[in-house]
């Protein structure tokens, strides 16, 4: 881990690192906010997965999450959205919704993507192991994300409930096997086998497993991707399959769109939600 930037924020430190990822076969950058409590003890971490076209810097500079994270004593871990570098293949047509900036948090199996696009393993295994070795972090983790990152957060938590204390999402791509963004990405990275797609579809995972860590989802009613891409109504139906005592809430926020104005408006709610479980 090579530190490339550090600034003071709410008594803590906002950092940016670079490292060589063995899983992704390329150099990767990621951002970390360490709250002031990390100067004296190890702290739990919230992993934030960003959406299409984003890097690790969108959330760290736009969401305003550091103030409440500092209050709660929670580190923020903010990975990039895909592998990067000249050797990493990109969408041949330059489309924004596939290739660089659009890793969809899957392990690609199709050429030429499989050599680098192993974002699922990177987020679940490689990055936490690296950070918990070198930074003052406990093994207590929660996960959240926005849009494509909301999809990633839900899928990763549903497939690994023992690794995450809680999960949340803003405007997630809930049912990617049934929307244009998801179909393009899953077909490109995984091929035509629909069974392999199901492992990266939150609605299908809920239908299959009928359990999840404590969950909170916010969706803006004025989101221009609501009907075609996000399909929150299918997530709401799947959440009905959970046991009666499950902690799982999908909230519609009237008038909010898909932007970071929406995220900044409710990020404190999400941090306090995770804090209930991370600080037990």
């Amino acid at each position: 881990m090579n530190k490339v930037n550090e600034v003071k924020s709410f008594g803590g430190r906002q950092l940016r690192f670079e490292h060589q990822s063995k899983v992704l076969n390329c150099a990767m950058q990621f951002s970390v906010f360490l709250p002031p409590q990390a100067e004296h003890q190890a702290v739990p971490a919230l992993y934030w997965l960003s959406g299409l076209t984003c890097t690790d810097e969108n959330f760290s500079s736009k969401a305003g999450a550091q103030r409440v994270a500092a209050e709660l004593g929670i580190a923020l871990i903010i990975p990039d959205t895909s592998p990067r570098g000249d050797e990493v293949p990109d969408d041949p047509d330059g489309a924004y919704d596939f290739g660089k900036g659009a890793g969809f948090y899957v392990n690609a199996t199709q050429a030429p993507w499989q050599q680098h696009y192993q974002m699922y393993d990177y987020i679940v295994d490689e990055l936490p192991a690296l950070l918990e070795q070198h930074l003052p972090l406990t093994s207590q983790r929660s996960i959240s994300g926005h849009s494509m990152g909301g999809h990633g957060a839900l899928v990763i938590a549903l497939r690994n409930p023992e690794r995450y204390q809680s999960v949340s999402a803003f405007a997630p791509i809930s049912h990617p096997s049934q929307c244009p963004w998801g179909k393009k990405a899953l077909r490109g990275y995984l091929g035509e086998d629909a069974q392999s797609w199901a492992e990266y579809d939150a609605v299908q995972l809920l239908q299959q497993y009928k359990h999840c860590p404590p969950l909170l989802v916010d969706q803006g009613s004025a989101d221009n991707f609501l009907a075609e891409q996000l399909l929150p109504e299918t997530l709401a139906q799947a959440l009905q399959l959970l046991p009666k005592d499950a902690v799982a809430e999908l909230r519609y926020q009237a008038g909010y769109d898909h932007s970071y104005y929406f995220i900044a408006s409710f990020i404190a709610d999400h941090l306090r939600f995770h804090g209930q479980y991370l600080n037990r």
Side-chain angles (χ1 to χ4, degrees):
M1 287 171 50
N2 298 313
K3 184 170 66 176
V4 297
N5 191 45
E6 176 178 346
V7 294
K8 194 85 171 178
S9 179
F10 293 98
R13 294 186 292 154
Q14 183 66 52
L15 305 137
R16 200 173 193 219
F17 294 97
E18 184 176 69
H19 78 116
Q20 190 68 29
S21 169
K22 294 180 180 178
V23 169
L24 302 177
N25 293 303
C26 65
M28 291 293 287
Q29 291 190 328
F30 59 88
S31 293
V32 175
F33 173 71
L34 290 177
Q37 294 86 338
E39 298 298 319
H40 309 290
Q41 65 190 49
V43 296
L46 175 66
Y47 284 72
W48 173 270
L49 306 185
S50 297
L52 287 166
T53 75
C54 289
T55 71
D56 57 295
E57 293 188 293
N58 292 78
F59 180 79
S60 64
S61 63
K62 293 181 178 181
Q66 291 88 346
R67 179 180 63 82
V68 176
E71 173 192 328
L72 298 173
I74 296 173
L76 303 174
I77 311 300
I78 313 160
D80 203 347
T81 49
S82 77
R84 302 281 182 176
D86 293 340
E87 72 278 17
V88 175
D90 198 2
D91 186 278
D93 299 319
Y96 74 93
D97 55 358
F98 192 78
K100 292 180 185 178
F104 266 83
Y105 306 101
V106 305
N107 284 340
T109 59
Q110 303 299 299
W113 316 105
Q114 79 274 33
Q115 182 181 357
H116 297 284
Y117 285 77
Q118 304 293 315
M119 286 297 294
Y120 178 90
D121 281 352
Y122 179 68
I123 300 298
V124 174
D125 295 317
E126 186 181 30
L127 190 58
L130 178 73
L131 295 176
E132 289 167 19
Q133 179 183 357
H134 293 286
L135 295 179
L137 301 177
T138 71
S139 60
Q140 298 287 100
R141 312 175 201 93
S142 291
I143 192 166
S144 185
H146 170 232
S147 195
M148 178 186 72
H151 139 77
L154 293 175
V155 165
I156 286 171
L158 290 170
R159 289 178 58 174
N160 303 276
E162 74 288 348
R163 292 181 63 87
Y164 300 96
Q165 305 303 306
S166 51
V167 58
S168 73
F170 289 81
I173 303 173
S174 298
H175 202 3
S177 64
Q178 299 301 313
C179 75
W181 278 342
K183 288 179 181 179
K184 178 178 180 178
L186 297 176
R187 180 174 288 111
Y189 294 131
L190 305 176
E192 297 291 344
D193 180 10
Q195 286 189 325
S196 67
W197 296 13
E199 290 300 302
Y200 297 102
D201 187 304
V203 167
Q204 290 183 265
L205 290 170
L206 280 165
Q207 292 170 342
Q208 179 181 352
Y209 297 136
K210 299 180 178 63
H211 68 78
C212 68
L215 176 149
L216 173 64
V217 174
D218 272 321
Q219 173 62 61
S221 68
D223 193 316
N224 54 317
F225 301 115
L226 185 62
E228 183 181 23
Q229 304 285 9
L230 305 179
L231 309 182
E233 67 281 0
T234 64
L235 180 62
Q237 293 167 2
L239 292 175
Q240 295 299 313
L241 302 173
L242 295 174
K244 295 291 186 183
D245 59 349
V247 177
E249 184 177 10
L250 168 59
R251 311 187 303 191
Y252 283 90
Q253 304 294 354
Y256 285 89
D257 65 4
H258 200 71
S259 73
Y260 265 83
Y261 294 108
F262 169 45
I263 296 169
S265 297
F266 296 99
I267 191 63
D269 283 3
H270 284 239
L271 287 165
R272 297 190 192 285
F273 170 77
H274 292 295
Q276 301 174 65
Y277 304 99
L278 286 171
N279 289 321
R280 281 182 173 177

